[in-house]
Amino acid sequence: MGKVTGFMEIDRQVAKYQPASDRIRHFREFTIPMSDAEVTKQAARCMDCGIPYCHGPTGCPVHNQIPDWNDLVYNNKWEEAIRNLHSTNNFPEFTGRVCPAPCEEACTLNLEDMPVAIKTVEQAIADKAYELGFIVPQPATVHTGKKVAIIGSGPSGLAAAQQLGRAGHEVHVYERESKAGGLLRYGIPDFKMEKNFIDRRVEQMKGENVTFHCGVNVGVDVKVETLLADYDAVLYCGGSETPREAGIPGVDLHGVYDAMPYLVQQNRRVGRENIDSTGWPSDPILAGGKHVVVVGGGDTASDCVGTAFRQGAVKVTQLDIRPRPPEKEDKLAVWPFWATRMRTSSSQAEGAIREFQVATLEFVGEDGVLTGVKCCQVDERRKPIAGTEFIIKADLGFIAIGFSGPFKDSVLKELDGKLNLNVDSRGSTNVIANTTDYKTSVDKLWTAGDVRRGQSLVVWAIREGRQAARAIDEALMGSSVLPR
């Protein structure tokens, strides 16, 4: 729990950022790491809560034992801290960087708007563990002789692969792109998480009986039927990648794109890869010298904002159909759950103009090229208010309103067409499986992550990958020592 009186004596402190004027000049991470002494002081703030809501179910999907590793950091026991953290979370360096930290929302000290800096401490533990050489391959001492194929190397696929490899199974991961990581690598900008962290985990897992087959589009280059025949179990961990239909006139204008092709392209540039990518447009999308409009108010929209500024956009406007949230929530009404309140991402703080309670009516253009976005204000039911129409100048427009499910032209096409896979038909194509055994309607096929639950957080994907790994291990061996 840290220091008994720490929460009364020490103020909350989190890592600072490079100034916006500096950080928009590069695509590297811009968080300024805190010293060990500063991190230790923040860990000391953890209270002796009667019920620590921070580690679930309202706080942390993977049930990190937050008070325990805060106490270990406070007592300078870094090796024990990373061991504890790894017992619930395979990749704390990922979540410490990109998780929105529902654990901090659920912290008892958040009742006073001063929660423990849990996310900062988590990242510090992982980074310190790498620095001190604590993160090394942990190969199984006994091999089961069973073979498992995993389709997709996003956070759920990676988590499942590591767990199954350590359980003694021979694991083969099939990834459509040229490098492992899925949307961790190609969807999340480097300024939020540099990709060397993924590379280090991949190298670790190669020493744990996990083999990666990159550049293999399952359903096209190799059939799912082949994998089901060759392996004892197959786990489908594709992402939720099909953009939700916006239904906005003018989307066919040159200069209007879905958000993900833009982010994938830039991540490939930073990684010094060819921008051509399976499933996405290949013509260069660049914001330099342009007026940019981003439709949508979530994390993907924010990533487009930050990327556009780094490419040299003249002006970036973000449109959100939701009303402007309150600056402060009613704690007694919502705590310990995630609260709706005004939040400003680091990308938005770099100079974005944010328009709330605004609907996008049409993309307008001349000679087939985007010139502006026609908008209007909406009422509390999101209905347009007559007479409030206006046009925002735009050379580049991005639609970032979410995803409806996995791509339908590879794995899902084969599974749905030949093997009668059960999928959700209520506006999405998510694969149906429960959270007890993650088993699909197809024999020997399991599923986990966004392809099952829909678009979600990295931490939820890790949780599902871990739980699916246990379910597969139990099905293959009759029992399992892997945690859920």
Side-chain angles (χ1 to χ4, degrees):
M1 61 160 285
K3 187 178 181 182
V4 175
T5 56
F7 69 97
M8 295 187 291
E9 300 171 5
I10 304 168
D11 291 334
R12 171 180 164 89
Q13 179 186 351
V14 295
K16 294 181 172 59
Y17 296 155
Q18 292 176 3
S21 58
D22 293 339
R23 66 183 189 246
I24 63 171
R25 299 176 186 274
H26 60 78
F27 280 89
R28 300 184 303 276
E29 289 183 15
F30 51 79
T31 301
I32 302 172
M34 293 166 57
S35 67
D36 290 353
E38 291 170 326
V39 173
T40 298
K41 288 175 67 176
Q42 292 308 302
R45 297 184 66 243
C46 190
M47 299 170 63
D48 186 12
C49 297
I51 300 177
Y53 286 98
C54 60
H55 60 98
T58 55
C60 181
V62 294
H63 301 294
N64 279 338
Q65 300 171 91
I66 295 163
D68 294 345
W69 44 255
N70 272 323
D71 181 65
L72 291 168
V73 170
Y74 172 61
N75 287 289
N76 203 34
K77 297 179 179 179
W78 294 95
E79 186 171 10
E80 291 181 42
I82 190 61
R83 191 182 305 125
N84 184 295
L85 186 46
H86 273 155
S87 70
T88 56
N89 183 356
N90 295 69
F91 314 119
E93 67 273 29
F94 300 170
T95 52
R97 285 170 166 81
V98 302
C99 185
C103 53
E104 294 189 16
E105 291 285 309
C107 178
T108 303
L109 285 174
N110 191 38
L111 287 167
E112 299 293 332
D113 294 313
M114 293 291 283
V116 175
I118 300 169
K119 180 177 173 179
T120 299
V121 177
E122 179 180 29
Q123 179 181 334
I125 293 172
D127 291 349
K128 187 72 171 178
Y130 271 112
E131 177 189 329
L132 297 177
F134 296 148
I135 299 179
V136 295
Q138 299 176 34
T141 55
V142 177
H143 296 286
T144 65
K146 302 291 186 180
K147 294 174 60 179
V148 181
I150 296 178
I151 304 171
S153 66
S156 60
L158 290 176
Q162 186 163 67
Q163 294 295 95
L164 289 166
R166 290 176 176 179
H169 304 303
E170 181 183 335
V171 181
H172 292 259
V173 180
Y174 291 85
E175 169 56 45
R176 181 189 67 214
E177 299 289 352
S178 54
K179 294 182 181 179
L183 291 181
L184 268 175
R185 181 182 296 276
Y186 295 103
I188 295 174
D190 279 63
F191 56 80
K192 289 176 69 173
M193 188 183 80
E194 294 179 11
K195 304 312 185 289
N196 62 295
F197 298 106
I198 301 173
D199 296 335
R200 292 196 297 196
R201 284 296 182 180
V202 168
E203 287 305 310
Q204 180 194 27
M205 293 165 66
K206 286 179 179 178
E208 298 174 341
N209 211 23
V210 177
T211 303
F212 289 87
H213 305 272
C214 294
V216 178
N217 191 2
V218 176
V220 178
D221 301 323
V222 60
K223 297 300 182 183
V224 182
E225 283 183 305
T226 302
L227 298 182
L228 290 169
D230 292 347
Y231 291 87
D232 298 291
V234 177
L235 176 61
Y236 181 22
C237 292
S240 184
E241 300 171 282
T242 301
R244 187 171 288 134
E245 291 287 342
I248 303 171
V251 293
D252 56 342
L253 289 170
H254 181 72
V256 180
Y257 301 92
D258 288 309
M260 197 51 66
Y262 178 54
L263 297 176
V264 170
Q265 264 196 25
Q266 185 54 42
N267 280 324
R268 294 180 77 89
R269 284 192 193 95
V270 174
R272 299 189 178 185
E273 297 183 58
N274 191 304
I275 66 169
D276 293 341
S277 182
T278 305
W280 306 113
S282 58
D283 56 312
I285 311 171
L286 296 166
K290 296 179 180 178
H291 289 72
V292 178
V293 174
V294 182
V295 179
D299 289 339
T300 302
S302 181
D303 292 344
C304 288
V305 170
T307 300
F309 278 129
R310 282 159 180 77
Q311 288 184 346
V314 173
K315 181 181 180 182
V316 181
T317 305
Q318 185 176 357
L319 307 179
D320 195 332
I321 199 170
R322 300 171 297 183
R324 183 184 180 93
E327 294 294 329
K328 181 175 169 56
E329 73 272 27
D330 181 352
K331 297 289 187 185
L332 297 181
V334 298
W335 183 87
F337 298 96
W338 185 263
T340 298
R341 57 180 167 82
M342 188 64 179
R343 303 173 192 270
T344 301
S345 71
S346 59
S347 293
Q348 291 163 340
E350 289 163 1
I353 297 171
R354 302 171 71 183
E355 297 279 359
F356 291 97
Q357 212 159 343
V358 167
T360 306
L361 299 178
E362 181 183 5
F363 293 104
V364 296
E366 296 177 4
D367 300 322
V369 178
L370 178 70
T371 58
V373 181
K374 185 178 180 180
C375 312
C376 74
Q377 295 178 1
V378 297
D379 60 22
E380 63 277 0
R381 293 179 297 173
R382 300 187 179 183
K383 300 296 183 183
I385 299 174
T388 64
E389 296 85 0
F390 60 98
I391 293 180
I392 301 173
K393 179 181 178 180
D395 308 301
L396 197 56
F398 296 115
I399 302 172
I401 58 172
F403 304 89
S404 62
F407 281 148
K408 304 173 187 177
D409 60 354
S410 55
V411 178
L412 201 63
K413 183 177 181 180
E414 180 185 349
L415 288 172
D416 196 25
K418 290 185 178 180
L419 302 175
N420 298 316
L421 177 72
N422 288 340
V423 297
D424 191 339
S425 59
R426 297 171 298 174
S428 72
T429 52
N430 298 333
V431 180
I432 295 176
N434 63 45
T435 56
T436 301
D437 60 15
Y438 291 87
K439 192 80 171 60
T440 72
S441 57
V442 176
D443 186 42
K444 294 172 63 178
L445 181 70
W446 284 257
T447 189
D450 286 5
V451 73
R452 191 203 68 82
R453 67 178 289 116
Q455 66 177 79
S456 191
L457 304 177
V458 168
V459 67
W460 273 106
I462 294 172
R463 171 192 169 121
E464 294 216 348
R466 288 170 60 88
Q467 291 186 336
R470 179 189 166 89
I472 291 171
D473 187 40
E474 200 166 28
L476 295 180
M477 306 304 295
S479 63
S480 178
V481 296
L482 293 176
R484 276 184 58 83

